[in-house]
Amino acid sequence: MDAKQRIQDLIQIINQANHDYHTKDQPTITDFEYDKLLHELVDLETQYPEFKQNDSPSEKIGGVVLDGFQKVTHLVPMMSLSNVFNDVELESFDERIGKVVSNYSFVTELKIDGLAVSLTYINGEFLRAATRGNGVVGEDVTGNVKTIKSLPLKLIENIDIEVRGEIFMPHKSFKRVNEEKMSLDEPLFANPRNAAAGTIRQLDAKVVASRNLDLFLYTVVDASKYVNSQMEALAYLQKLGFKVNMNYHHVKDLDALKNKISEYDLMRKSLPYDTDGVVIKVNEFQLYNMIGYTSKSPKWATAYKFQAEQVETVLKDITFQIGRTGVVTPVAELEPVVVSGSTVARATLHNEDYIVTKDIRIGDYVIVHKAGEIIPEVLNVLLEKRTNQKPFEMRSDCPVCAFPLIRKKGEADHYCSNPDCPGKNINALIHFSSRVAMDIDTLGEKVVETLHELGYLNNIPDIYRLNTFQNELKEIPGFGDKKVEKLISAIEASKKQTFDKLLFGLGIKHVGAKVAKTLVKHYPSIDDLMNANYSDLIEINEIGEMIALSIVAYFNNPVYRDLINNLKSLGLNMVFERETVLEHAFNGKTIVLTGKLNIFSRDQASDIIEKLGGKVSSSISAKTDLLVAGEDAGSKLKKANELGVKVIDEEEFKVMIDGLY
Ligand code: IVH
């Protein structure tokens, strides 16, 4: 089959599978099959860029990085909605409509808590996505919206149409994104709406693609050109291939409307995304002009806002947790209660000021909610229920080592003053070896705790001294020969970890993964960085006052200077190496391909080798550096073995080039 035809077929199959999975929620092929087809498509498109189509699902992987966003003027302004907060206000909304028209009915839809977007299709092909902006001028976020898997790049009908809807981040993605941010020491998103909005304004579409946003459509612009009512518009959107939230209903009168709203309020708690109300729209389009508009919003629609769920419970105790930087955080221990669908027993109280300002006391009745329906928080105290609770006092000693806590001027946090605090150290060790830092995968939380308890691990350099205790470690229950060998070799391998990861792993306050990357580019060795002064640091774009001060303080502290010198003499890499791709193992090497390849075509494999600086040769000689032997390799393999040429199979070849192609 020719490549052009295969590309067309693959696009059709994958787009259909996408639609079945993301829009209809009825998968028709397995993830594995899907990945395989997509892989084949990307390969073909790389080989034959001239056959690449605009509606190709490979666009959804996200390829472009932008400098900023273009402005887009909405031909039909994106209006907002008025709000009602209770049944009385709902009745007035209905009354106002009843005064100007009769024979009307309503459509109720969930109010999805995300950000509005307008999509333009020309001849059935996706052209552009724009944010609401100020309602008249928004931003062109086409490349980012393209990464949303449920977005159809081609519609069922070849029409010109503009449609609008809500981009949102499902709870599952929100949780994952924040967990990742936490491990990278980056500020968290407060709620899924902020996360969705922040993600859509990302300049790197790959980041957007990794965040799993989703999209519900609810409006057809100039809808009366196509249909006569909102019920028909929603059905039409589905027919065209869009994802529509199916919790919509046709209701005939005010009583039915009130009942529906109560039903929504109950069911929304179990939904996997945030909703903050019910949107109520008059169904019949021919009545819209008669009912009219204000300057901001239509009078034929409104949003009934839900009360965020707030639950009363008892604050049983305030405990304290120590983090890897030595910050001690107060935590609310609550009588467990169900809030927005899950049981809450603990909530952060942030710091002393938070507790004092809200006058939160042990034994109080408190109101808890979930910030953004996710993060449990104590909102306030029910003072009328207070009996004889004593005012809160911040503890003065570390919960782990009992050293005094200190609070620096101008800061809200309390720190343990013991530079060797075991509580802090153990968290620092866990962070150091974690996947996002030094990536010592066999040295997880449990192993760190055990080795710490037994006295083998008290600080970071101890990790690199474990090899002197191999025999002792093998005796620890649950360890054994294999596990210890793996542990030691993972530790050894981590000495070569990149400088920025090491720097991040040290756990310097305010130095997250991103800041570490910036720092090593400006200070390519640890000596450069240790000698950096405040005024040089502050010159760097992404380095603010707080970060600069923290870095200077860290490297001026003799304890940490000692630590660095120790790690240096243990052989850890503390130099930034640029352009690692050029140093690929294939660079300058003569490589021969033989046998049947299953993952790559011969041409692809040759192409990749050449791009990585290698030379492909057709015959084996003593000058050959490497033989890639596919299935049923014959004489060349034999000869390579005789000559002592290194041989790898196709899987190993794939591993060697992984992440590069
Ligand atoms: S209709 C004329 N329907 O709520 C206004 N909006 O406060 C057309 N929203 O900007 C909007 N779910 O971002 C409509 N089912 C829904 C909605 C919805 C969420 C958002 C939208 C809009 C805001 C208005």
Side-chain angles (χ1 to χ4, degrees):
M1 188 191 293
D2 72 282
K4 188 174 176 190
Q5 183 60 44
R6 182 64 185 155
I7 287 179
Q8 275 173 7
D9 291 352
L10 282 168
I11 289 177
Q12 216 243 324
I13 301 169
I14 297 168
N15 278 344
Q16 182 62 45
N18 256 331
H19 183 72
D20 294 339
Y21 184 94
H22 293 287
T23 308
K24 297 211 299 205
D25 262 342
Q26 285 164 349
T28 43
I29 61 173
T30 63
D31 289 357
F32 179 77
E33 283 168 326
Y34 180 90
D35 289 343
K36 220 170 101 187
L37 292 170
L38 188 62
H39 202 120
E40 186 186 346
L41 178 62
V42 173
D43 282 352
L44 280 173
E45 284 176 344
T46 321
Q47 245 177 307
Y48 304 96
E50 66 274 25
F51 299 145
K52 187 161 174 180
Q53 294 179 198
N54 281 340
D55 63 343
S56 169
S58 62
E59 292 278 314
K60 291 190 181 288
I61 302 167
V64 262
V65 178
L66 305 174
D67 300 330
F69 298 103
Q70 300 278 335
K71 296 274 180 269
V72 176
T73 304
H74 301 296
L75 296 177
V76 176
M78 293 180 78
M79 300 192 91
S80 59
L81 288 172
S82 62
N83 292 318
V84 294
F85 293 93
N86 51 49
D87 282 1
V88 177
E89 291 178 8
L90 184 67
E91 284 158 20
S92 323
F93 164 73
D94 178 54
E95 227 175 84
R96 284 194 298 272
I97 295 171
K99 276 190 186 151
V100 275
V101 296
S102 48
N103 289 334
Y104 58 93
S105 59
F106 294 112
V107 179
T108 55
E109 296 164 25
L110 276 172
K111 188 167 188 298
I112 311 298
D113 203 7
L115 73 148
V117 67
S118 199
L119 311 175
T120 308
Y121 286 78
I122 299 292
N123 199 19
E125 279 190 15
F126 174 62
L127 174 73
R128 185 175 56 228
T131 60
R132 180 172 181 277
N134 62 9
V136 177
V137 180
E139 285 179 319
D140 185 330
V141 287
T142 307
N144 286 348
V145 170
K146 257 192 189 167
T147 68
I148 298 178
K149 299 204 178 60
S150 64
L151 175 96
L153 296 171
K154 187 140 182 49
L155 302 180
I156 305 297
E157 292 175 21
N158 292 340
I159 46 166
D160 295 353
I161 196 168
E162 187 175 346
V163 296
R164 291 176 180 169
E166 198 83 354
I167 294 177
F168 64 97
M169 187 178 281
H171 289 158
K172 209 166 129 197
S173 321
F174 176 70
K175 195 164 164 260
R176 191 177 49 78
V177 169
N178 260 357
E179 275 167 5
E180 199 172 298
K181 282 190 154 278
M182 198 173 321
S183 68
L184 294 176
D185 222 18
E186 290 175 8
L188 304 188
F189 285 121
N191 54 51
R193 177 170 26 85
N194 288 357
T199 301
I200 272 303
R201 301 203 75 263
Q202 269 280 337
L203 293 172
D204 185 349
K206 276 217 171 60
V207 176
V208 185
S210 74
R211 297 242 177 113
N212 289 326
L213 295 173
D214 208 343
L215 170 64
F216 284 128
L217 280 303
Y218 45 68
T219 295
V220 177
V221 177
D222 273 336
S224 44
K225 280 210 295 214
Y226 313 89
V227 284
N228 295 314
S229 68
Q230 177 63 9
M231 284 300 285
E232 286 174 15
L234 292 169
Y236 186 50
L237 284 166
Q238 276 168 72
K239 187 175 149 222
L240 288 175
F242 290 110
K243 184 161 176 169
V244 170
N245 190 299
M246 295 310 286
N247 300 298
Y248 68 85
H249 300 274
H250 190 195
V251 292
K252 300 283 156 74
D253 56 30
L254 188 65
D255 279 339
L257 192 55
K258 287 182 186 166
N259 284 336
K260 235 340 137 236
I261 291 171
S262 318
E263 279 175 29
Y264 278 114
D265 201 6
L266 280 180
M267 64 81 86
R268 74 180 186 111
K269 289 165 190 146
S270 53
L271 293 172
Y273 45 83
D274 270 10
T275 57
D276 58 342
V278 180
V279 178
I280 302 154
K281 298 169 183 168
V282 168
N283 186 34
E284 298 77 15
F285 288 161
Q286 84 269 16
L287 304 177
Y288 281 14
N289 279 336
M290 271 184 275
I291 304 169
Y293 298 81
T294 70
S295 62
K296 289 199 207 91
S297 52
K299 292 186 192 169
W300 42 261
T302 195
Y304 188 107
K305 288 295 204 72
F306 293 130
Q307 293 276 349
E309 194 177 8
Q310 301 187 352
V311 183
E312 181 182 325
T313 188
V314 177
L315 175 65
K316 292 192 303 189
D317 199 3
I318 296 178
T319 55
F320 297 85
Q321 255 179 2
I322 184 160
R324 63 181 161 79
T325 54
V327 173
V328 173
T329 315
V331 179
E333 304 290 342
L334 304 162
E335 188 61 50
V337 271
V338 176
V339 190
S340 301
S342 72
T343 304
V344 171
R346 306 183 91 205
T348 174
L349 290 167
H350 305 288
N351 52 49
E352 180 183 21
D353 292 352
Y354 184 87
I355 303 176
V356 172
T357 313
K358 292 187 183 257
D359 191 18
I360 298 169
R361 304 180 184 190
I362 296 171
D364 272 344
Y365 283 83
V366 291
I367 299 293
V368 293
H369 80 148
K370 282 197 190 153
E373 301 280 314
I374 305 269
I375 303 160
E377 201 171 55
V378 174
L379 266 185
N380 51 287
V381 174
L382 294 174
L383 286 176
E384 65 277 16
K385 288 201 170 181
R386 179 172 283 167
T387 45
N388 56 353
Q389 284 75 13
K390 283 198 241 63
F392 168 77
E393 264 181 58
M394 184 66 198
R395 68 182 291 155
S396 56
D397 60 344
C398 172
V400 178
C401 71
F403 266 56
L405 296 184
I406 35 174
R407 179 175 171 175
K408 290 186 198 137
K409 237 180 130 186
E411 284 193 28
D413 291 329
H414 281 77
Y415 292 86
C416 171
S417 58
N418 178 1
D420 230 8
C421 169
K424 170 178 122 175
N425 284 351
I426 200 162
N427 286 320
L429 283 166
I430 291 167
H431 169 72
F432 183 82
S433 67
S434 68
R435 189 178 53 81
V436 283
M438 297 300 273
D439 194 18
I440 312 176
D441 64 351
T442 38
L443 191 60
E445 212 170 311
K446 276 261 143 56
V447 178
V448 170
E449 274 165 15
T450 309
L451 296 181
H452 178 74
E453 225 165 82
L454 296 172
Y456 291 107
L457 275 188
N458 289 310
N459 49 43
I460 294 171
D462 284 350
I463 295 178
Y464 296 93
R465 294 183 193 118
L466 283 177
N467 58 359
T468 55
F469 299 105
Q470 288 191 54
N471 291 336
E472 290 88 334
L473 297 183
K474 285 174 184 168
E475 298 303 313
I476 302 173
F479 273 57
D481 290 9
K482 269 248 161 64
K483 187 165 169 165
V484 171
E485 276 153 27
K486 264 183 147 175
L487 176 65
I488 299 299
S489 69
I491 290 172
E492 191 57 33
S494 77
K495 289 182 179 174
K496 295 201 176 70
Q497 183 57 286
T498 55
F499 180 32
D500 64 298
K501 294 265 169 91
L502 169 74
L503 197 56
F504 173 50
L506 291 176
I508 305 168
K509 206 169 169 223
H510 304 308
V511 178
K514 256 201 197 135
V515 172
K517 276 210 171 91
T518 306
L519 284 172
V520 298
K521 281 183 198 147
H522 287 83
Y523 301 97
S525 79
I526 193 76
D527 296 319
D528 299 332
L529 187 60
M530 281 169 100
N531 295 326
N533 58 35
Y534 175 81
S535 45
D536 293 339
L537 283 163
I538 200 94
E539 284 295 309
I540 303 173
N541 233 341
E542 291 137 73
I543 309 287
E545 231 171 80
M546 265 202 329
I547 304 176
L549 282 174
S550 165
I551 295 168
V552 173
Y554 184 91
F555 288 114
N556 277 333
N557 187 329
V559 174
Y560 297 125
R561 291 188 85 93
D562 260 8
L563 167 70
I564 303 287
N565 286 331
N566 262 326
L567 293 179
K568 227 193 234 176
S569 59
L570 286 162
L572 275 75
N573 169 42
M574 298 194 190
V575 183
F576 172 55
E577 283 166 29
R578 281 172 212 276
E579 309 292 353
T580 39
V581 172
L582 286 181
E583 305 205 352
H584 193 273
F586 292 171
N587 194 17
K589 297 285 156 60
T590 302
I591 299 167
V592 176
L593 300 166
T594 190
K596 187 165 154 276
L597 301 183
N598 294 317
I599 307 170
F600 304 92
S601 70
R602 274 288 175 100
D603 284 345
Q604 278 174 327
S606 307
D607 201 35
I608 292 168
I609 292 169
E610 277 161 14
K611 279 195 182 133
L612 291 168
K615 193 175 139 234
V616 180
S617 159
S618 55
S619 59
I620 294 268
S621 74
K623 287 198 188 116
T624 312
D625 294 296
L626 184 71
L627 176 75
V628 181
E631 248 171 55
D632 301 321
S635 60
K636 284 186 189 159
L637 176 59
K638 199 164 153 245
K639 191 159 177 202
N641 284 333
E642 285 164 5
L643 292 169
V645 171
K646 187 175 175 198
V647 179
I648 61 171
D649 64 21
E650 196 181 6
E651 275 299 330
E652 288 167 287
F653 175 75
K654 184 166 176 269
V655 171
M656 286 182 81
I657 62 160
D658 217 30
L660 297 171
Y661 290 94

